[in-house]
Each structure stands twice: as structure tokens, then as C-alpha cells.
Amino acid sequence: MSELEQELECDLRRVAAPDGFADAVMARLPSRTRHKWSARPWFARRSIFRLWPAFATGMLLAALVGGYLVHQRQQRELAALTEARFEVAMRIASRTLNRVDEEVSRAGVKPALRSQDSSTN
Amino acid sequence: MDQDDLEFRRLINQHESMVFSIALRLLGDHGLAEEVAQDCFVELHKSLPRLESAEHIRFWLRRVAVHRATDAMRRRAVRPESHAESWGEEHDRAPETGRHHGMELRVESVLMSLPPASRIAIVLRYQEEMRPDDIAVLLGQPVATVKSNLQRGLGLLRRKADVMLKEFVRE
């Protein structure tokens, strides 16, 4: 360290604040908004009254997301049920058609005549 | 006065000298430095819930003191040269804890004639005894910039105060 630096360290020592400095600062503090200073961590220093908006927002978001997921699940179940019903209906319709076709064949009516009969009627 | 007030007052007593000295050496104006230092503590009071340790409080106070003093310099268009002469008289009236002699006052007066960036670096380095890398973190600047400001400030100080430093060393 140079001579100049040593002198600077020596000369630039802290000076005392003016008399009554702490009183002046304390007088400027807004009493209503004074925070509780303690050694506790920041999250423990916050009161429940300050946290309730965050808690309410969290609950609302959770309800919205939950509702959306339940709705999605219901839609998927309904789609699966409808598909199953549709398949059953198609199977029944197919069997019925086959059975009618067999009966018509047994009665000896040709398919062409059958279609003509149906159009004239 | 409740327990919180007492604890905050203890914090003020612990750091007032540091904050006031930084402001005074950057501004060179006793009244303005006191105002800036008070502002720092009022702001500290608002920000206390976010500060997690004593070290964090000290770091925060130093940074805010530098920023507020810099703002005050800009706002009031403080010209260092114009305050260099009056600084000594004001400083004489202020209560002091350290030694007090003409040489010290002249060094501080010369300090006031430095560019703000160099003055800040020198005050933090030699008053607060911070290392350049700590100053860089505090000011949010690269270490190279801080070292450059220090070297520039020291060079200017050396040139401006060469004669009186030699006299002081001889005493």
C-alpha cells in the first residue's frame, strides 16, 4: 500500500453523526406503518392478515383448476359412454338388417323387385 | 417507546456514523448529508422485513447511502469544487470522534474535487475499507471499472495533494 493510500485510510475515517440524529430519524417514521423488527425470518414476520389475499387467490386458483380438470374428466367419460352406446346400436342395427335380409331372401323376393316395390309404394 | 422502536434505534446508533460519513464525503455538505442519511434510515425502516441479516442491512445501507448521495448531487447540481472550501468549516462544527487537523481537512477538500465515480470508489475503499470486488458488487459495476476509478482518483489526488502530503509526512 502506497503512502498516499495509508494517509487516505487514516484521514478518511468515519465521522460521528450529528447530535440527535437518531431522534430525528425516529420522529420521521410513520407510526402506523412501523414494522415489527425481530430476528425471525421474513416469512415468520408476516402476519396472517397480510397473507390472506395471497391465500384467497391461491384457493380460488386451485378451485378453478380443479373444476376445469373435473369438467374435462366428465367430458371424456361421456364421450366414452356415447361411443360405447353407438357401437352397441350399430351392432343391433346390423343384426336386425341381416335378419330382415334373410327373411326377405327366404320369402323369395329379389332385391331388384324389392327396391321397385318400395319405390312404387 | 416499544421494543421494536428500541431495536430500530439500536440499529440507527450502530450504523449512523457509516451512513452519515459516506453521505458527507460524497456531498461535502453537512446539512445535505444529514438529510440524505435520515432518508436512508427511513427507507431502511420500510425495507426491514426484506432484510435477512445484520450483514445484509449493512450492505443495503451502504448501497442506498451511495445512491441517495448520488441522486442528491444530481438533483441539487452540487459542484464539488464550489463546496471544497466550505466543507472544512462545516466539518469543523460537526461533532467528531477521530483526530482533527488541517491536513485531514485539506485531503478531504481535495477529495471533493474528484469526479463522483472516483470519489465514491475512494470513499468506499479507504473509509469503509472495502475490497474492490466488494465495491463492484455494491455498485453493480465490473471490478475493472472500480479499479480504474480508484486508480484515476488516486492519480488525481496524488497530483493535487502532492505538496501537502509531503508536508504531512514530514511532520
mmCIF file of all heavy atoms in Angstrom, chain B residues 42-68:
data_model
loop_
_atom_site.group_PDB
_atom_site.id
_atom_site.type_symbol
_atom_site.label_atom_id
_atom_site.label_comp_id
_atom_site.label_asym_id
_atom_site.label_seq_id
_atom_site.Cartn_x
_atom_site.Cartn_y
_atom_site.Cartn_z
ATOM 1 N N VAL B 42 -34.982 6.066 7.112
ATOM 2 C CA VAL B 42 -36.438 5.978 6.938
ATOM 3 C C VAL B 42 -36.760 4.878 5.916
ATOM 4 O O VAL B 42 -37.681 4.073 6.095
ATOM 5 C CB VAL B 42 -37.028 7.341 6.497
ATOM 6 C CG1 VAL B 42 -38.488 7.197 6.105
ATOM 7 C CG2 VAL B 42 -36.884 8.373 7.612
ATOM 8 N N GLU B 43 -35.948 4.835 4.863
ATOM 9 C CA GLU B 43 -36.136 3.800 3.848
ATOM 10 C C GLU B 43 -35.801 2.415 4.405
ATOM 11 O O GLU B 43 -36.453 1.424 4.068
ATOM 12 C CB GLU B 43 -35.256 4.122 2.640
ATOM 13 C CG GLU B 43 -35.755 3.483 1.353
ATOM 14 C CD GLU B 43 -34.992 3.967 0.140
ATOM 15 O OE1 GLU B 43 -34.557 5.129 0.135
ATOM 16 O OE2 GLU B 43 -34.848 3.171 -0.794
ATOM 17 N N LEU B 44 -34.797 2.381 5.256
ATOM 18 C CA LEU B 44 -34.433 1.113 5.906
ATOM 19 C C LEU B 44 -35.614 0.583 6.723
ATOM 20 O O LEU B 44 -35.907 -0.612 6.710
ATOM 21 C CB LEU B 44 -33.223 1.312 6.819
ATOM 22 C CG LEU B 44 -32.870 0.129 7.722
ATOM 23 C CD1 LEU B 44 -32.343 -1.035 6.898
ATOM 24 C CD2 LEU B 44 -31.853 0.506 8.780
ATOM 25 N N HIS B 45 -36.282 1.498 7.384
ATOM 26 C CA HIS B 45 -37.420 1.096 8.213
ATOM 27 C C HIS B 45 -38.503 0.427 7.377
ATOM 28 O O HIS B 45 -39.099 -0.567 7.783
ATOM 29 C CB HIS B 45 -37.984 2.322 8.936
ATOM 30 C CG HIS B 45 -38.995 1.995 9.966
ATOM 31 N ND1 HIS B 45 -40.347 2.033 9.732
ATOM 32 C CD2 HIS B 45 -38.848 1.589 11.241
ATOM 33 C CE1 HIS B 45 -40.984 1.676 10.827
ATOM 34 N NE2 HIS B 45 -40.114 1.403 11.754
ATOM 35 N N LYS B 46 -38.705 0.961 6.159
ATOM 36 C CA LYS B 46 -39.715 0.368 5.269
ATOM 37 C C LYS B 46 -39.250 -0.984 4.737
ATOM 38 O O LYS B 46 -40.056 -1.871 4.488
ATOM 39 C CB LYS B 46 -39.958 1.297 4.077
ATOM 40 C CG LYS B 46 -40.694 2.559 4.404
ATOM 41 C CD LYS B 46 -40.842 3.386 3.133
ATOM 42 C CE LYS B 46 -41.181 4.827 3.461
ATOM 43 N NZ LYS B 46 -40.915 5.728 2.322
ATOM 44 N N SER B 47 -37.953 -1.104 4.525
ATOM 45 C CA SER B 47 -37.430 -2.306 3.867
ATOM 46 C C SER B 47 -36.983 -3.395 4.830
ATOM 47 O O SER B 47 -36.556 -4.458 4.386
ATOM 48 C CB SER B 47 -36.238 -1.918 2.980
ATOM 49 O OG SER B 47 -36.617 -0.932 2.067
ATOM 50 N N LEU B 48 -37.071 -3.133 6.117
ATOM 51 C CA LEU B 48 -36.562 -4.108 7.094
ATOM 52 C C LEU B 48 -37.113 -5.530 6.933
ATOM 53 O O LEU B 48 -36.360 -6.488 7.049
ATOM 54 C CB LEU B 48 -36.850 -3.624 8.511
ATOM 55 C CG LEU B 48 -35.689 -2.948 9.233
ATOM 56 C CD1 LEU B 48 -36.081 -2.618 10.652
ATOM 57 C CD2 LEU B 48 -34.451 -3.806 9.233
ATOM 58 N N PRO B 49 -38.418 -5.679 6.642
ATOM 59 C CA PRO B 49 -38.912 -7.058 6.521
ATOM 60 C C PRO B 49 -38.218 -7.866 5.434
ATOM 61 O O PRO B 49 -38.221 -9.088 5.473
ATOM 62 C CB PRO B 49 -40.398 -6.866 6.186
ATOM 63 C CG PRO B 49 -40.737 -5.531 6.723
ATOM 64 C CD PRO B 49 -39.507 -4.698 6.555
ATOM 65 N N ARG B 50 -37.614 -7.180 4.446
ATOM 66 C CA ARG B 50 -36.951 -7.901 3.362
ATOM 67 C C ARG B 50 -35.493 -8.225 3.685
ATOM 68 O O ARG B 50 -34.875 -9.017 2.986
ATOM 69 C CB ARG B 50 -36.986 -7.070 2.070
ATOM 70 C CG ARG B 50 -38.353 -6.976 1.457
ATOM 71 C CD ARG B 50 -38.285 -6.350 0.070
ATOM 72 N NE ARG B 50 -37.996 -4.929 0.131
ATOM 73 C CZ ARG B 50 -36.848 -4.387 -0.272
ATOM 74 N NH1 ARG B 50 -35.888 -5.137 -0.748
ATOM 75 N NH2 ARG B 50 -36.665 -3.083 -0.195
ATOM 76 N N LEU B 51 -34.961 -7.605 4.696
ATOM 77 C CA LEU B 51 -33.539 -7.785 5.002
ATOM 78 C C LEU B 51 -33.379 -8.915 6.020
ATOM 79 O O LEU B 51 -34.091 -8.964 7.011
ATOM 80 C CB LEU B 51 -32.946 -6.480 5.532
ATOM 81 C CG LEU B 51 -33.142 -5.282 4.593
ATOM 82 C CD1 LEU B 51 -32.585 -4.012 5.191
ATOM 83 C CD2 LEU B 51 -32.500 -5.543 3.244
ATOM 84 N N GLU B 52 -32.450 -9.788 5.719
ATOM 85 C CA GLU B 52 -32.430 -11.050 6.461
ATOM 86 C C GLU B 52 -31.327 -11.177 7.512
ATOM 87 O O GLU B 52 -31.363 -12.100 8.309
ATOM 88 C CB GLU B 52 -32.319 -12.201 5.450
ATOM 89 C CG GLU B 52 -33.587 -12.347 4.625
ATOM 90 C CD GLU B 52 -33.357 -13.101 3.332
ATOM 91 O OE1 GLU B 52 -32.225 -13.537 3.088
ATOM 92 O OE2 GLU B 52 -34.333 -13.233 2.573
ATOM 93 N N SER B 53 -30.349 -10.317 7.477
ATOM 94 C CA SER B 53 -29.265 -10.457 8.453
ATOM 95 C C SER B 53 -28.620 -9.096 8.694
ATOM 96 O O SER B 53 -28.853 -8.137 7.949
ATOM 97 C CB SER B 53 -28.216 -11.437 7.936
ATOM 98 O OG SER B 53 -27.584 -10.906 6.794
ATOM 99 N N ALA B 54 -27.778 -9.056 9.723
ATOM 100 C CA ALA B 54 -27.071 -7.805 10.037
ATOM 101 C C ALA B 54 -26.147 -7.408 8.889
ATOM 102 O O ALA B 54 -26.024 -6.223 8.554
ATOM 103 C CB ALA B 54 -26.278 -7.990 11.322
ATOM 104 N N GLU B 55 -25.523 -8.393 8.276
ATOM 105 C CA GLU B 55 -24.616 -8.124 7.154
ATOM 106 C C GLU B 55 -25.386 -7.567 5.965
ATOM 107 O O GLU B 55 -24.939 -6.647 5.280
ATOM 108 C CB GLU B 55 -23.919 -9.440 6.767
ATOM 109 C CG GLU B 55 -22.810 -9.277 5.749
ATOM 110 C CD GLU B 55 -21.705 -8.332 6.201
ATOM 111 O OE1 GLU B 55 -21.410 -8.287 7.408
ATOM 112 O OE2 GLU B 55 -21.182 -7.614 5.338
ATOM 113 N N HIS B 56 -26.561 -8.152 5.745
ATOM 114 C CA HIS B 56 -27.434 -7.687 4.660
ATOM 115 C C HIS B 56 -27.838 -6.231 4.900
ATOM 116 O O HIS B 56 -27.843 -5.426 3.967
ATOM 117 C CB HIS B 56 -28.681 -8.582 4.602
ATOM 118 C CG HIS B 56 -29.484 -8.412 3.353
ATOM 119 N ND1 HIS B 56 -30.660 -9.076 3.128
ATOM 120 C CD2 HIS B 56 -29.309 -7.622 2.271
ATOM 121 C CE1 HIS B 56 -31.150 -8.717 1.968
ATOM 122 N NE2 HIS B 56 -30.355 -7.830 1.424
ATOM 123 N N ILE B 57 -28.143 -5.875 6.138
ATOM 124 C CA ILE B 57 -28.539 -4.499 6.487
ATOM 125 C C ILE B 57 -27.389 -3.535 6.207
ATOM 126 O O ILE B 57 -27.578 -2.465 5.626
ATOM 127 C CB ILE B 57 -28.973 -4.426 7.970
ATOM 128 C CG1 ILE B 57 -30.319 -5.125 8.146
ATOM 129 C CG2 ILE B 57 -29.076 -2.974 8.446
ATOM 130 C CD1 ILE B 57 -30.751 -5.270 9.586
ATOM 131 N N ARG B 58 -26.183 -3.928 6.580
ATOM 132 C CA ARG B 58 -25.025 -3.057 6.369
ATOM 133 C C ARG B 58 -24.771 -2.840 4.875
ATOM 134 O O ARG B 58 -24.533 -1.723 4.424
ATOM 135 C CB ARG B 58 -23.785 -3.661 7.043
ATOM 136 C CG ARG B 58 -22.668 -2.651 7.186
ATOM 137 C CD ARG B 58 -21.600 -3.144 8.089
ATOM 138 N NE ARG B 58 -21.041 -4.403 7.606
ATOM 139 C CZ ARG B 58 -19.833 -4.838 7.908
ATOM 140 N NH1 ARG B 58 -19.073 -4.144 8.713
ATOM 141 N NH2 ARG B 58 -19.380 -5.977 7.454
ATOM 142 N N PHE B 59 -24.819 -3.949 4.127
ATOM 143 C CA PHE B 59 -24.630 -3.859 2.669
ATOM 144 C C PHE B 59 -25.694 -2.946 2.065
ATOM 145 O O PHE B 59 -25.389 -2.056 1.265
ATOM 146 C CB PHE B 59 -24.737 -5.273 2.072
ATOM 147 C CG PHE B 59 -24.721 -5.315 0.570
ATOM 148 C CD1 PHE B 59 -23.523 -5.377 -0.125
ATOM 149 C CD2 PHE B 59 -25.895 -5.305 -0.156
ATOM 150 C CE1 PHE B 59 -23.501 -5.422 -1.501
ATOM 151 C CE2 PHE B 59 -25.886 -5.343 -1.535
ATOM 152 C CZ PHE B 59 -24.676 -5.405 -2.205
ATOM 153 N N TRP B 60 -26.937 -3.147 2.463
ATOM 154 C CA TRP B 60 -28.074 -2.368 1.935
ATOM 155 C C TRP B 60 -27.894 -0.885 2.270
ATOM 156 O O TRP B 60 -28.105 -0.022 1.414
ATOM 157 C CB TRP B 60 -29.358 -2.938 2.542
ATOM 158 C CG TRP B 60 -30.615 -2.370 1.989
ATOM 159 C CD1 TRP B 60 -31.385 -2.890 0.996
ATOM 160 C CD2 TRP B 60 -31.284 -1.171 2.419
ATOM 161 N NE1 TRP B 60 -32.462 -2.085 0.777
ATOM 162 C CE2 TRP B 60 -32.424 -1.027 1.629
ATOM 163 C CE3 TRP B 60 -31.014 -0.209 3.393
ATOM 164 C CZ2 TRP B 60 -33.314 0.033 1.771
ATOM 165 C CZ3 TRP B 60 -31.886 0.856 3.537
ATOM 166 C CH2 TRP B 60 -33.018 0.964 2.731
ATOM 167 N N LEU B 61 -27.509 -0.595 3.493
ATOM 168 C CA LEU B 61 -27.354 0.806 3.904
ATOM 169 C C LEU B 61 -26.240 1.507 3.118
ATOM 170 O O LEU B 61 -26.394 2.655 2.701
ATOM 171 C CB LEU B 61 -27.041 0.881 5.402
ATOM 172 C CG LEU B 61 -28.238 0.890 6.335
ATOM 173 C CD1 LEU B 61 -27.785 0.785 7.782
ATOM 174 C CD2 LEU B 61 -29.077 2.152 6.157
ATOM 175 N N ARG B 62 -25.146 0.791 2.913
ATOM 176 C CA ARG B 62 -24.046 1.396 2.141
ATOM 177 C C ARG B 62 -24.507 1.702 0.717
ATOM 178 O O ARG B 62 -24.241 2.781 0.188
ATOM 179 C CB ARG B 62 -22.857 0.428 2.078
ATOM 180 C CG ARG B 62 -21.974 0.478 3.294
ATOM 181 C CD ARG B 62 -20.897 -0.574 3.168
ATOM 182 N NE ARG B 62 -19.899 -0.458 4.211
ATOM 183 C CZ ARG B 62 -19.112 -1.452 4.588
ATOM 184 N NH1 ARG B 62 -19.234 -2.632 4.037
ATOM 185 N NH2 ARG B 62 -18.209 -1.275 5.533
ATOM 186 N N ARG B 63 -25.178 0.757 0.112
ATOM 187 C CA ARG B 63 -25.619 0.946 -1.276
ATOM 188 C C ARG B 63 -26.609 2.097 -1.379
ATOM 189 O O ARG B 63 -26.501 2.960 -2.239
ATOM 190 C CB ARG B 63 -26.241 -0.349 -1.810
ATOM 191 C CG ARG B 63 -26.428 -0.304 -3.316
ATOM 192 C CD ARG B 63 -26.887 -1.612 -3.849
ATOM 193 N NE ARG B 63 -28.155 -2.018 -3.234
ATOM 194 C CZ ARG B 63 -28.773 -3.141 -3.503
ATOM 195 N NH1 ARG B 63 -28.242 -4.000 -4.339
ATOM 196 N NH2 ARG B 63 -29.909 -3.443 -2.936
ATOM 197 N N VAL B 64 -27.584 2.103 -0.458
ATOM 198 C CA VAL B 64 -28.603 3.163 -0.503
ATOM 199 C C VAL B 64 -27.969 4.523 -0.217
ATOM 200 O O VAL B 64 -28.329 5.524 -0.850
ATOM 201 C CB VAL B 64 -29.751 2.836 0.476
ATOM 202 C CG1 VAL B 64 -30.703 4.013 0.618
ATOM 203 C CG2 VAL B 64 -30.524 1.625 -0.019
ATOM 204 N N ALA B 65 -27.026 4.551 0.707
ATOM 205 C CA ALA B 65 -26.360 5.831 1.017
ATOM 206 C C ALA B 65 -25.639 6.368 -0.217
ATOM 207 O O ALA B 65 -25.738 7.561 -0.535
ATOM 208 C CB ALA B 65 -25.382 5.642 2.170
ATOM 209 N N VAL B 66 -24.947 5.494 -0.934
ATOM 210 C CA VAL B 66 -24.244 5.933 -2.151
ATOM 211 C C VAL B 66 -25.248 6.415 -3.200
ATOM 212 O O VAL B 66 -25.080 7.479 -3.804
ATOM 213 C CB VAL B 66 -23.368 4.783 -2.714
ATOM 214 C CG1 VAL B 66 -22.843 5.138 -4.096
ATOM 215 C CG2 VAL B 66 -22.211 4.493 -1.775
ATOM 216 N N HIS B 67 -26.321 5.647 -3.381
ATOM 217 C CA HIS B 67 -27.309 6.025 -4.402
ATOM 218 C C HIS B 67 -28.014 7.330 -4.049
ATOM 219 O O HIS B 67 -28.200 8.197 -4.901
ATOM 220 C CB HIS B 67 -28.336 4.901 -4.586
ATOM 221 C CG HIS B 67 -27.774 3.721 -5.299
ATOM 222 N ND1 HIS B 67 -28.432 2.518 -5.405
ATOM 223 C CD2 HIS B 67 -26.596 3.546 -5.931
ATOM 224 C CE1 HIS B 67 -27.689 1.660 -6.075
ATOM 225 N NE2 HIS B 67 -26.576 2.264 -6.404
ATOM 226 N N ARG B 68 -28.392 7.466 -2.786
ATOM 227 C CA ARG B 68 -29.103 8.696 -2.379
ATOM 228 C C ARG B 68 -28.190 9.916 -2.470
ATOM 229 O O ARG B 68 -28.623 10.991 -2.870
ATOM 230 C CB ARG B 68 -29.652 8.565 -0.955
ATOM 231 C CG ARG B 68 -30.750 7.561 -0.781
ATOM 232 C CD ARG B 68 -32.055 8.000 -1.457
ATOM 233 N NE ARG B 68 -32.938 6.855 -1.621
ATOM 234 C CZ ARG B 68 -32.897 6.021 -2.652
ATOM 235 N NH1 ARG B 68 -32.050 6.234 -3.647
ATOM 236 N NH2 ARG B 68 -33.710 4.988 -2.728
#
